[in-house]
Amino acid sequence: MSSVRHLVYSRWLFHHAKPLSVNTSRLFSTTRSSMTIMPAWVIDKYGSNDVFRFTKNASFPVINYPNEVIVKVQAAGLNPLDVNMRSGYGAATMSMKRDPLNIKQSGSEFPLILGRDVSGVIMECGLDVKYFRERDEVWAAIPPWKQGSLAEFVVLSANEVSHKPKSLSHTEAAAMPYVATTAWSALVNTGGLSKDNCAKKRILILGGSGGVGTFAIQMLKAWGAHVTVTCSQNAERFVRGLGADHVVDYTAGPVEEPLSALEKFDLILDNIGGDTERWALNLLKPWCGAKYVTLVTPFLQNTDRLGIADGMMQTAATVATKALKHLVKGVHYRWGFFAPSGPALDEIRELVDAGKIRPVVEETFSFSEVPQAFEKVEKGHARGKTVVQISKGGEDV
């Protein structure tokens, strides 16, 4: 019924809408076939870059719940998570989230559309959506169990969407939602930081030149924190330009030695993982509520390897053991996760439009170059985000 309602509504709007000052042909499909299908990059199985397939016959998204919106995608940002998901990372957990009763057959997620960042224009709103209207320019971070943004349209819950910053183009805006909501989740939801308690706190970011790190530097500086980061020597000028107060070059030798010589920290954000846990928590101020938050966790690897139930039990045992081990030393051990949030993006939009946070776009690709864009992300050592421009002329909607 939702598909029929969408078809009738779109055809009625095309024939009866009054002339607008904007180019509505960019916002609404006007042919019968494009109302039920759309162009998209999909994968039909997990694997390397050769699993990508471009199709003009991807299923058009439909509103199934009254709090959902359909967004016409103008630009899509890529993240290392997209590369990992292409290879099957987190497949077991995502499958459970999509089909909690395990009704569907294995592989029912295919054809799968990747892409977690989106900036675009709302095409249609569900009946319960009050905060948005058709033609609103929005940005969002898309949950990993949903179809992604490497398509002409995407459907999202209204609570995952936020009005796009007026000061940014769609290409710039598409570079931020995933890293912004990940950093927000780690620093605010898990780390307990806010604009009201961050002044003069000492924060260490391990891996400061990546997407999450570059956003975190800017947000923390906007809130008045003192920020130390680790990165390579050739990224030092880059992160200092974003506001970092102190930079430690990891290519010059083990970073724990120069970091140990500094005053201890109130919070550490770890984007690196590996053996950093072995020494990083010793850099925190003991018995002062200091926290170590790592974004590199074994949760999805555990569920992929052991299955949902055993993987979750293994994960719970691991985090509980580590948290207790460090709590007796007077510091807090926490895991941080990507958490899509429209309200968080509302707060971030204000910082962006105030000029306190800027997007860092390293390279843009056209919609026809999605495989090349993935190759770029897969190489690593980025100095900003990779963005795919989906709709031609999307910047002047």
Side-chain angles (χ1 to χ4, degrees):
M1 288 298 294
S2 178
S3 298
V4 173
R5 179 174 66 83
H6 171 67
L7 175 61
V8 173
Y9 169 81
S10 298
R11 294 186 69 179
W12 179 91
L13 183 60
F14 175 68
H15 288 295
H16 294 85
K18 295 180 181 180
L20 299 171
S21 58
V22 298
N23 184 347
T24 55
S25 66
R26 289 178 182 157
L27 302 181
F28 301 96
S29 298
T30 58
T31 66
R32 183 182 181 91
S33 62
S34 63
M35 291 177 184
T36 56
I37 59 177
M38 65 176 180
W41 282 93
V42 302
I43 63 172
D44 299 302
K45 62 180 180 179
Y46 297 117
S48 58
N49 228 25
D50 58 5
V51 299
F52 275 112
R53 173 173 64 88
F54 179 75
T55 178
K56 294 184 178 180
N57 300 313
S59 297
F60 196 99
V62 295
I63 290 177
N64 291 311
Y65 300 96
N67 69 328
E68 291 182 330
V69 298
I70 293 177
V71 176
K72 179 172 175 60
V73 182
Q74 302 294 340
L78 297 185
N79 300 276
L81 175 63
D82 295 303
V83 175
N84 293 334
M85 287 183 64
R86 183 206 65 197
S87 302
Y89 173 74
T93 304
M94 297 307 109
S95 178
M96 181 194 69
K97 185 68 178 178
R98 297 184 189 105
D99 182 24
L101 299 180
N102 198 27
I103 296 173
K104 301 177 181 178
Q105 293 182 341
S106 176
S108 61
E109 68 268 31
F110 301 118
L112 181 64
I113 302 172
L114 301 175
R116 298 305 106 199
D117 284 314
V118 61
S119 183
V121 181
I122 289 184
M123 173 185 169
E124 183 181 355
C125 296
L127 296 177
D128 287 353
V129 176
K130 308 300 181 186
Y131 189 57
F132 301 100
R133 296 181 299 177
E134 285 82 358
R135 300 185 182 89
D136 280 356
E137 294 188 327
V138 295
W139 62 345
I142 304 173
W145 55 88
K146 293 188 176 182
Q147 293 285 41
S149 55
L150 293 174
E152 188 179 10
F153 297 93
V154 65
V155 63
L156 295 164
S157 298
N159 59 6
E160 296 160 355
V161 178
S162 169
H163 289 102
K164 179 182 75 68
K166 290 181 171 60
S167 59
L168 299 185
S169 68
H170 283 292
T171 299
E172 293 171 324
M176 296 187 71
Y178 173 81
V179 296
T181 52
T182 301
W184 185 277
S185 174
L187 296 172
V188 178
N189 300 345
T190 305
L193 298 180
S194 72
K195 61 182 178 182
D196 299 318
N197 68 8
C198 210
K200 297 183 180 180
K201 283 194 173 177
R202 291 180 52 79
I203 314 296
L204 170 62
I205 301 174
L206 299 172
S209 61
V212 174
T214 55
F215 178 86
I217 291 169
Q218 296 181 83
M219 186 174 76
L220 292 169
K221 290 306 299 178
W223 288 351
H226 181 282
V227 180
T228 298
V229 304
T230 65
C231 65
S232 64
Q233 183 180 19
N234 60 14
E236 179 173 353
R237 179 179 294 184
F238 171 60
V239 297
R240 286 193 183 277
L242 297 174
D245 297 289
H246 189 82
V247 180
V248 176
D249 174 17
Y250 68 75
T251 64
V255 294
E256 56 263 41
E257 296 179 12
L259 288 174
S260 298
L262 302 176
E263 182 182 343
K264 291 188 180 295
F265 298 94
D266 297 287
L267 185 140
I268 296 174
L269 176 62
D270 186 1
N271 298 301
I272 303 298
D275 70 342
T276 54
E277 293 183 14
R278 179 177 52 81
W279 50 265
L281 284 98
N282 297 325
L283 305 176
L284 292 169
K285 298 176 181 177
W287 308 109
C288 294
K291 296 182 178 71
Y292 167 89
V293 182
T294 178
L295 290 169
V296 184
T297 75
F299 173 60
L300 292 180
Q301 290 99 322
N302 285 344
T303 55
D304 285 343
R305 181 170 55 90
L306 302 173
I308 299 298
D310 289 345
M312 293 183 71
M313 289 182 62
Q314 177 65 52
T315 297
T318 300
V319 71
T321 301
K322 291 185 176 183
L324 183 60
K325 172 186 174 182
H326 295 292
L327 187 60
V328 298
K329 299 179 182 179
V331 295
H332 298 275
Y333 176 95
R334 297 286 186 271
W335 285 357
F337 296 95
F338 162 51
S341 171
L345 288 174
D346 288 342
E347 300 263 3
I348 293 160
R349 180 186 67 239
E350 295 181 6
L351 291 170
V352 172
D353 281 338
K356 295 182 178 180
I357 297 178
R358 62 180 175 86
V360 184
V361 179
E362 183 175 33
E363 192 169 354
T364 61
F365 291 82
S366 69
F367 194 24
S368 64
E369 298 175 317
V370 165
Q372 294 92 316
F374 267 75
E375 289 176 2
K376 166 69 176 62
V377 175
E378 199 164 9
K379 291 177 181 177
H381 300 289
R383 296 290 178 266
K385 290 293 291 291
T386 297
V387 177
V388 177
Q389 295 174 323
I390 305 296
S391 296
K392 294 179 181 179
E395 300 300 343
D396 56 353
V397 170

